[in-house]
Amino acid sequence: MDLPTACTGAVTVSKIPVIEIFGPTIQGEGAVIGVKTMFVRTYGCDYRCSWCDSAFTWDGSAKDIVRMLEPEEIMNELIALAGQNFDSVTISGGNPALLGNSMAEFVALLHEHGIQAAIETQGSRWQDWFYEIDTLTISPKPPSSGMKTDWAMLDRIMGKLKEQGKATHSLKVVVFDEQDYAYAKSVHQRYPGVSLYLQPGNEDVTEPGDISARLLGRLEWLFNLVIADPEMNRARVLPQLHALIWHNKRGK
C-alpha cells in the first residue's frame, strides 16, 4: 500500500491513514490479554472477512473520518488522551501490515518514548518492521471468514520470524465452528513451536445490550473441544475479554 507523504523542507514524512485513536483500555485478546493499552486503528484491509467486527475500516462506511496523520501527530494525540497513563500501544485495523515506512517510523517513535508496540495482522503481507514489534500476533483467517490463506506467504512470514530468533510473535485463530477448529489445528501442526491462541467468534457484532451469556456459551463449547483433543494440549483458549465486559461497543 503506497502512502501519501508530506514534504517539510528537505525532510519527507510518511503519513498513516488513521480511523480511530482511543484508550487507555484493556487489551481483550491474544498474548497480551489484560494489559492496559492505547489503540490506534488504521484504515484499509486486503481481506473482506464475512464476520469482521471492524468492517468500517475497509467497507467505505467510515471513509469520511479517515485522517492522514504523521507519526508525531499520532503520538501527540495519544499523549493528549492519556498523558503518562500508558506504556503500550496496540496498532490494529484493517490490516496495519499494508503500511510500509510510515509504520516503521511510528514504531520507532513509540520506542523512543519507552512505549511498547503490539500489532495484529492476518499474515498476508510481510514488512521488515515486524522485527521491531514487541508483541506481534499473526491471525490467519479460518474458512468461516470466506478468505483463503496464502500458505506460501504465511510460511515465509513465520520462517523469517523464526530465523530472527525473537520470541515476540504468536498465532491466533478465531473459531466459529468445527471446520474452523480443524483449520486451527492444521495451523498448530504446521507451526508447532509457536504459541497458539484460540478465541471463540462473536457471531453477531451488532447485537445491542449484554452479550456475555452468549459469548460464555461459545467459550465453553471451545473449551470442551480442546479438552477432548490430545493434539491441542498446548493451545490456549481465551475469551474476547473486552466483549465480555463492554459487549459490542466501539472504542473499547
Side-chain angles (χ1 to χ4, degrees):
M1 183 178 187
D2 294 323
L3 294 174
T5 58
C7 293
T8 310
V11 179
T12 300
V13 181
S14 298
K15 293 191 175 185
I16 294 172
V18 175
I19 195 165
E20 284 186 319
I21 299 175
F22 63 91
T25 185
I26 299 297
Q27 172 59 262
E29 303 178 1
V32 288
I33 190 170
V35 172
K36 180 166 65 175
T37 187
M38 299 294 288
F39 271 82
V40 175
R41 191 182 297 280
T42 63
Y43 187 79
C45 192
D46 50 333
Y47 274 25
R48 299 292 184 267
C49 295
S50 61
W51 36 250
C52 181
D53 62 0
S54 52
F56 61 93
T57 64
W58 51 261
D59 66 5
S61 63
K63 64 182 180 181
D64 292 342
I65 64 171
V66 176
R67 295 180 294 155
M68 299 304 301
L69 299 179
E70 297 174 11
E72 192 72 45
E73 292 175 309
I74 300 173
M75 190 74 245
N76 290 341
E77 286 201 26
L78 291 168
I79 293 171
L81 279 171
Q84 301 301 310
N85 190 26
F86 71 104
D87 66 4
S88 174
V89 170
T90 300
I91 304 162
S92 63
N95 183 9
L98 296 178
L99 308 175
N101 290 338
S102 58
M103 189 58 68
E105 292 167 11
F106 181 51
V107 171
L109 183 61
L110 290 175
H111 288 159
E112 287 175 19
H113 285 261
I115 298 167
Q116 293 196 334
I119 279 187
E120 179 173 321
T121 178
Q122 59 261 44
S124 60
R125 300 285 184 94
W126 169 261
Q127 294 287 353
D128 286 343
W129 51 258
F130 282 1
Y131 291 136
E132 307 305 319
I133 300 301
D134 299 286
T135 306
L136 175 63
T137 300
I138 307 296
S139 183
K141 305 308 177 189
S144 64
S145 70
M147 300 292 103
K148 291 187 177 181
T149 301
D150 182 343
W151 292 106
M153 174 56 72
L154 190 56
D155 285 347
R156 177 173 178 250
I157 291 170
M158 301 306 292
K160 289 175 78 70
L161 293 170
K162 182 178 180 179
E163 287 170 8
Q164 196 229 16
K166 286 174 64 180
T168 60
H169 64 287
S170 61
L171 289 156
K172 188 190 82 175
V173 178
V174 179
V175 178
F176 281 85
D177 53 35
E178 293 194 3
Q179 189 177 11
D180 286 356
Y181 181 75
Y183 173 90
K185 186 187 291 191
S186 72
V187 169
H188 195 35
Q189 292 168 341
R190 196 177 187 106
Y191 313 110
V194 182
S195 295
L196 172 67
Y197 296 87
L198 302 181
Q199 171 189 305
N202 180 358
E203 294 170 313
D204 187 350
V205 297
T206 63
E207 179 184 353
D210 188 342
I211 62 172
S212 57
R214 173 169 62 79
L215 296 181
L216 287 170
R218 298 300 295 166
L219 184 62
E220 182 180 15
W221 166 79
L222 188 53
F223 276 169
N224 288 333
L225 285 180
V226 172
I227 288 168
D229 191 343
E231 295 183 76
M232 296 292 265
N233 289 347
R234 293 190 174 273
R236 305 179 190 186
V237 184
L238 297 175
Q240 274 192 311
L241 189 60
H242 58 291
L244 284 176
I245 303 301
W246 293 302
H247 316 300
N248 281 328
K249 294 178 182 176
R250 282 263 302 270
K252 292 291 188 181

